[in-house]
Amino acid sequence: MRYAAEVALWLLALGSYWLFPDYLGLLAQVWIAALFAVSLDLLVGYAGVVTLGHAAFFGLGAYVAGILAVQGWGEPFSGLLLAGLAAALLGLLTAPLVLRGGELAGLMVTLGLALMLYEAANKAAFLTGGADGLQGVEIWPLFGRFRFDLYGRIAFLYALGVLFLCFMALRFLVATPFGLALRGIRGNALRMAAIGTPVRRRLMAAYAVSAGVAGLAGALLAQTAQFVSLDVLAFHRSAEGLLMLLIGGLGALYGAVLGAAAFTVAHHLLAEMTPQFWEFWIGAALVMLVMLGRGGMLGLLRRLGR
Amino acid sequence: MLTILLDGIASGMLLFVLACGLSVTMGLMNFVNLAHGAFGMAGGYVLVVLLQRWGWPFLACLPAAFLATALLGLLLERTLYARLYRREHLDQVLFSIGLVFMAGATADWLMGAQQQIIQLPAWLSGRVDLGIGELGRYRIFLILVCAGIVAGLQLGLLRTRFGAQLRAAVDDATVARGLGIPVPRLFAITFALGSGLAGLGGALGVEVLGLDPTFPLKYLVYMLIVVAVGGANTILGPALAALLLGVVDVAGKYWLPQLGAFIIYTAMVALLLLRPHGLLAKQA
């Protein structure tokens, strides 16, 4: 039953290629947002580390992939991998800083680090294009054959493929003893330490993996849009990721995907309205979802299924 | 040199008035209220509307800004915040970010996205020669008003019954409750007071810090630094932190403009790493 639902979901995702041929660009955005949300879910929903700066890793991935292409290496897969590795490395380096103090101090450090990176990208205009964005990103054809087209066909398939692979890897990861240890730490870190789990090392590993996957998502955006703007590092992106998790249901990978899909589609539908209007409703959604309690769409589905 | 120092002190004092309410929210209720800056913004807009559109005298606008935001704070505390005290930090963070977005969008819709400009009364504008150099009158006014607020708060916290109850509750809310101190009511009043002070700070700061719909996010980091560095149980800790921050920020913007806001973020991260429990905090 469960597996049937999963297979149906992925078939639906692939089938949307033929169902909505005019919206392939938007759907590629959905897959990228989903990958970002899934990476955030591993950190927030499973490991219980609250972060306000996950956009830092997304943005770093986007800039690494973008700058590589601008400097003359536009091969998509190696660019993607390098971007993911760079983000994972940044995650590994900053994890000790974030996990050092208490929960509150860690929260502020994530916020501060993301803001620092934003400022750095803003000021290093010779490398990143600064506020004008990174122009002239040219990505070579996929496998040397499939050129990224205007309709977003290749972008759609490429993003969905990467999402699927990463999702399955994470799905496997959270079912391993490592994933169980993370959930235990979220529940009670002291007791986990008492039964012999190296809490810090587990959290650091989760942080690095989550950062790396977020970097992959950022690189996907840079490669499919062939443009990188400062927006990839903005505080809004971190907050929107958390909102996606709230919508879909925290601590469940499929919830993150559903939340990201719902969020991106809603954004697209409401984009014709003024930006203030959109921002107001993001805020209202956050407040209401917190007030109503967790669970999100997936929780609702589970309750209906019972 | 002196001008920079004075500017730094003035904006530092403003930051303190803006942030002191937050230090109580975080210290007393352990509530991560990222929306505190929204109260400052609300106070700023109250001042702009009263002063520029309705033509109230400047000195009457300040108490009005305080009262309006204090009432707003009380209302929100009773209806929304009070329900979330026992929730996880993640819920509180998400809730207050939601409030920030809503506040920013509302301000944008009502007042427009541009920077607000106010016309100070004649006796506060211009500069005055004090023998040690030319100083802006408004900066001096700011420093005097804020110093008065710091002194008032310090005395109130140390000398009044309310202050003693508050200190007890911050130290250990459970025991304080056991002794019959009405902690929820205490907190509602303090929250309103803190919001009101933030509103007053926002109103005073229109001329110095600027005012537009991004105000709550822009100054969030500054306020968090003040709270994180200053600690929650004193007035002087955050005040000291705010002064330091103001001077560093103004000096950095003056001498190293190419680094921009980078200095302040670096300072925040460094201080959080070195003293995760506050500058003057007792080591736990």
Side-chain angles (χ1 to χ4, degrees):
Chain A
M1 177 61 203
R2 215 201 124 139
Y3 288 109
E6 281 187 44
V7 172
L9 193 73
W10 287 108
L11 282 180
L12 184 69
L14 185 63
S16 60
Y17 181 82
W18 291 279
L19 288 175
F20 307 103
D22 298 334
Y23 293 100
L24 294 181
L26 174 70
L27 287 164
Q29 298 286 316
V30 170
W31 311 140
I32 293 168
L35 190 58
F36 180 62
V38 166
S39 78
L40 189 60
D41 199 22
L42 178 72
L43 194 59
V44 179
Y46 284 87
V49 178
V50 186
T51 166
L52 280 176
H54 213 52
F57 306 116
F58 185 89
L60 182 75
Y63 272 113
V64 168
I67 290 169
L68 269 177
V70 169
Q71 303 294 336
W73 182 252
E75 204 286 308
F77 288 114
S78 53
L80 187 74
L81 272 182
L82 278 173
L85 282 177
L89 190 68
L90 181 70
L92 204 60
L93 288 178
T94 54
L97 309 182
V98 173
L99 301 173
R100 195 185 133 101
E103 197 181 6
L104 267 182
L107 186 75
M108 288 186 231
V109 172
T110 59
L111 180 68
L113 287 172
L115 289 168
M116 275 166 78
L117 209 62
Y118 182 92
E119 238 358 80
N122 188 15
K123 297 289 173 192
F126 65 96
L127 193 63
T128 63
D132 297 334
L134 188 65
Q135 315 260 350
V137 178
E138 261 186 56
I139 303 297
W140 301 347
L142 219 54
F143 299 113
R145 282 189 60 193
F146 304 105
R147 194 167 283 288
F148 284 94
D149 55 312
L150 271 179
Y151 310 101
R153 289 197 202 108
I154 298 304
F156 175 101
L157 294 171
Y158 179 46
L160 183 60
V162 174
L163 170 67
F164 181 75
L165 290 178
C166 289
F167 187 95
M168 285 305 154
L170 286 178
R171 192 176 173 289
F172 172 75
L173 189 72
V174 296
T176 58
F178 171 75
L180 292 177
L182 288 186
R183 271 193 257 185
I185 292 169
R186 173 178 157 77
N188 191 328
L190 274 180
R191 285 192 202 169
M192 285 310 282
I195 62 171
T197 305
V199 170
R200 236 180 99 76
R201 217 184 301 162
R202 293 286 177 272
L203 285 180
M204 275 180 67
Y207 202 83
V209 171
S210 168
V213 177
L216 290 179
L220 274 184
L221 181 67
Q223 293 180 339
T224 55
Q226 314 231 344
F227 175 73
V228 185
S229 72
L230 273 181
D231 185 55
V232 293
L233 284 165
F235 174 73
H236 266 245
R237 196 170 289 277
S238 305
E240 284 170 5
L242 289 170
L243 178 58
M244 290 174 199
L245 294 189
L246 264 190
I247 295 174
L250 208 62
L253 294 177
Y254 279 106
V257 175
L258 285 178
F263 178 90
T264 314
V265 171
H267 192 170
H268 177 76
L269 292 178
L270 293 172
E272 280 100 59
M273 320 260 185
T274 57
Q276 303 100 295
F277 184 81
W278 166 243
E279 198 180 289
F280 182 85
W281 286 107
I282 289 186
L286 275 168
V287 170
M288 281 188 287
L289 282 166
V290 170
M291 283 294 165
L292 293 176
R294 299 254 191 79
M297 284 164 71
L298 212 61
L300 202 66
L301 284 177
R302 280 200 194 117
R303 261 172 275 157
L304 287 177
R306 243 173 244 150
Chain B
M1 177 68 206
L2 192 68
T3 325
I4 295 168
L5 191 67
L6 201 70
D7 273 11
I9 292 175
S11 59
M13 290 231 163
L14 269 179
L15 284 177
F16 168 75
V17 175
L18 271 170
C20 63
L22 184 62
S23 76
V24 176
T25 322
M26 286 212 181
L28 178 53
M29 288 322 247
N30 196 16
F31 190 102
V32 190
N33 182 19
L34 301 182
H36 192 71
F39 293 107
M41 181 178 73
Y45 279 116
V46 168
L47 177 97
V48 168
V49 168
L50 291 181
L51 188 73
Q52 295 302 104
R53 299 207 182 157
W54 297 4
W56 284 32
F58 186 73
L59 284 184
C61 296
L62 294 178
F66 174 83
L67 282 178
T69 42
L71 273 178
L72 183 68
L74 192 64
L75 191 72
L76 283 177
E77 201 274 337
R78 286 290 89 191
T79 51
L80 297 177
Y81 280 90
R83 295 157 188 259
L84 295 173
Y85 290 146
R86 290 178 180 281
R87 296 277 201 90
E88 287 178 47
H89 279 155
L90 177 64
D91 282 337
Q92 301 171 349
V93 164
L94 292 168
F95 164 78
S96 51
I97 292 178
L99 277 190
V100 170
F101 282 167
M102 285 170 82
T106 309
D108 196 340
W109 181 58
L110 289 176
M111 306 291 295
Q114 75 280 13
Q115 278 282 342
Q116 300 290 334
I117 299 160
I118 56 165
Q119 193 69 47
L120 287 173
W123 57 275
L124 278 178
S125 43
R127 307 175 85 76
V128 62
D129 196 347
L130 285 182
I132 41 172
E134 294 250 302
L135 301 175
R137 286 172 196 243
Y138 191 64
R139 298 286 192 279
I140 298 173
F141 172 75
L142 273 184
I143 292 177
L144 290 178
V145 170
C146 295
I149 293 173
V150 173
L153 286 176
Q154 175 72 4
L155 278 180
L157 193 67
L158 287 183
R159 294 290 158 83
T160 64
R161 187 176 168 74
F162 183 82
Q165 289 183 336
L166 187 61
R167 274 181 292 142
V170 173
D171 265 353
D172 194 326
T174 318
V175 175
R177 215 182 290 250
L179 289 171
I181 294 174
V183 175
R185 207 180 69 201
L186 195 70
F187 186 62
I189 297 171
T190 320
F191 192 92
L193 194 69
S195 314
L197 282 175
L200 183 62
L204 285 170
V206 175
E207 181 70 16
V208 180
L209 306 174
L211 181 68
D212 63 20
T214 61
F215 183 91
L217 274 184
K218 197 159 45 179
Y219 286 100
L220 172 65
V221 177
Y222 289 76
M223 292 191 285
L224 285 175
I225 301 175
V226 171
V227 173
V229 175
N233 207 2
T234 63
I235 294 295
L236 294 181
L240 209 67
L243 278 183
L244 200 68
L245 183 64
V247 173
V248 169
D249 189 38
V250 169
K253 275 179 186 152
Y254 186 81
W255 280 309
L256 297 165
Q258 64 274 24
L259 285 182
F262 205 73
I263 298 178
I264 231 60
Y265 301 142
T266 317
M268 163 167 165
V269 171
L271 278 169
L272 280 168
L273 294 177
L274 295 174
R275 302 300 305 262
H277 300 291
L279 201 62
L280 301 178
K282 291 164 274 186
Q283 291 293 323

